Each structure stands twice: as C-alpha cells, then as structure tokens.
Amino acid sequence: QVQLVESGGGLVQAGGSLRLSCAASRSIFSISVLRWYRQAPGKQRELVATITSPDNTNYADSVKGRFTISRDNAKNTVYLQMNSLKPEDTAVYYCNANNRLGVFWGQGTQVTVSS
C-alpha cells in the first residue's frame, strides 16, 4: 500500500519560514493531484494548497502569496514552502494524494508559530 510521510514541521517565530516535505513509498505522484491540508485544535480541516501533474497550483486565500506548493515526481515528494509565518498558521499539516488508485493521507506534522 501507499504510505505518505510528512516532515519539516517544528516551532518557528512569527515571520519565519519552514519547508514541509511529503514523500510517498511508491511512485504515484506523477499521476496524482497533490494537496496540503491543515487542522488547528478545535477547527475543521482546511485545504491549504493544491498542485496537479502539469504543475498548476491553487492556494487558500489565507496563505496566498506566502506559501508555495511544488512537486518532484522523480523523488515522489511534494513540498510546501511557508514564508512569513503567522501564529494563525499553527496547525497539524497533512499531505494528500489523489489518483485513480485511491486517496492517501500522511500522518501529519505539527507546525507551531510563536508570536
């Protein structure tokens, strides 16, 4: 089965940057729509960013201009570069891959932004 593993989360001060990575155990990203979601305590999970195989991207209004999603199909890895971080960005971040084989989720990585 496909396993997705996120990494790169941590504690950062407001205004700082982090880059999240999500690696797949199988070569599926070339055929997948890839997304990053996040969920803060007591809040619903929200879609943060999407990237398709042709590298078309889409972002939530709350992160537009600050976050960048990218992919490396050869490495089966999707990234989320997060700049100008705000305390409101604090959440568990999850990667998601969607293709004809199914929908796959990572276990999540914690991002905490201090003020």
Side-chain angles (χ1 to χ4, degrees):
Q1 64 176 342
V2 176
Q3 303 285 338
L4 303 181
V5 180
E6 300 99 334
S7 62
L11 175 64
V12 65
Q13 291 185 349
S17 298
L18 287 173
R19 188 177 77 157
L20 305 184
S21 300
C22 174
S25 61
R26 294 179 59 197
S27 299
I28 63 165
F29 280 4
S30 63
I31 61 171
S32 300
V33 175
L34 304 171
R35 296 179 172 92
W36 285 96
Y37 291 80
R38 67 185 182 187
Q39 188 166 23
K43 305 293 184 180
Q44 290 192 328
R45 187 171 298 185
E46 65 171 328
L47 176 63
V48 175
T50 301
I51 187 167
T52 64
S53 185
D55 288 345
N56 294 315
T57 59
N58 187 263
Y59 300 92
D61 289 342
S62 59
V63 307
K64 206 167 189 177
R66 300 187 297 119
F67 290 11
T68 303
I69 187 171
S70 61
R71 66 195 295 159
D72 186 335
N73 290 338
K75 296 181 178 179
N76 291 298
T77 302
V78 61
Y79 305 94
L80 186 68
Q81 178 66 46
M82 305 185 294
N83 298 326
S84 301
L85 282 162
K86 305 174 180 179
E88 305 89 85
D89 296 318
T90 295
V92 177
Y93 285 71
Y94 301 88
C95 68
N96 169 279
N98 192 322
N99 59 52
R100 67 181 184 273
L101 301 177
V103 180
F104 307 96
W105 290 90
Q107 82 289 342
T109 185
Q110 176 71 48
V111 172
T112 303
V113 184
S114 62
S115 59

